[in-house]
Amino acid sequence: MFSLEIKLFYKTQRELASTLNSIIDAYWKNEISEETLIRSITDIYLNNQRKFLKEDNFTTVLKQQCGKRRLEVVERILEMNGLLKDGQTATG
């Protein structure tokens, strides 16, 4: 079974981006369930909101490190769970 080390609190945006990439890539490779993907992204977001968003967009570091396809997944998960306010667009 695939094992991810997921922390609740991240020191840097780069560390956060690396973990998001690992989680989403593991999901795309069928190494983790959809439920694990959603729960992990939600938990990380709730504890690191300032590292995710700046002026209602994903931060530049996240955009550069994660890329558009992964951030679309993150954005959709956050929308499904009511965590993004109207007008906040991650991939815009």
Side-chain angles (χ1 to χ4, degrees):
M1 181 66 194
F2 183 77
S3 169
L4 276 176
E5 174 147 348
I6 299 172
K7 299 188 285 188
L8 285 183
F9 304 98
Y10 289 89
K11 186 175 179 180
T12 67
Q13 290 177 354
R14 290 191 190 284
E15 188 180 22
L16 175 69
S18 176
T19 299
L20 291 175
N21 289 348
S22 297
I23 293 167
I24 294 168
D25 291 351
Y27 171 72
W28 282 339
K29 294 176 190 172
N30 295 314
E31 294 170 342
I32 63 171
S33 69
E34 192 168 284
E35 180 182 318
T36 300
L37 168 77
I38 292 169
R39 187 180 62 246
S40 299
I41 301 240
T42 302
D43 289 348
I44 292 170
Y45 175 77
L46 287 172
N47 291 296
N48 298 276
Q49 291 182 39
R50 290 184 176 165
K51 290 182 180 70
F52 268 84
L53 300 174
K54 184 176 183 183
E55 297 174 6
D56 294 336
N57 281 307
F58 280 134
T59 64
T60 302
V61 171
L62 257 57
K63 287 180 182 178
Q64 291 172 341
Q65 299 289 310
C66 296
K68 188 169 184 158
R69 282 180 46 223
R70 288 191 194 99
L71 289 182
E72 285 171 348
V73 171
V74 172
E75 181 177 26
R76 188 69 194 113
I77 289 169
L78 297 178
E79 286 173 349
M80 284 171 27
N81 288 286
L83 297 171
L84 284 183
K85 295 178 252 167
D86 287 342
Q88 286 181 315
T89 57
T91 54

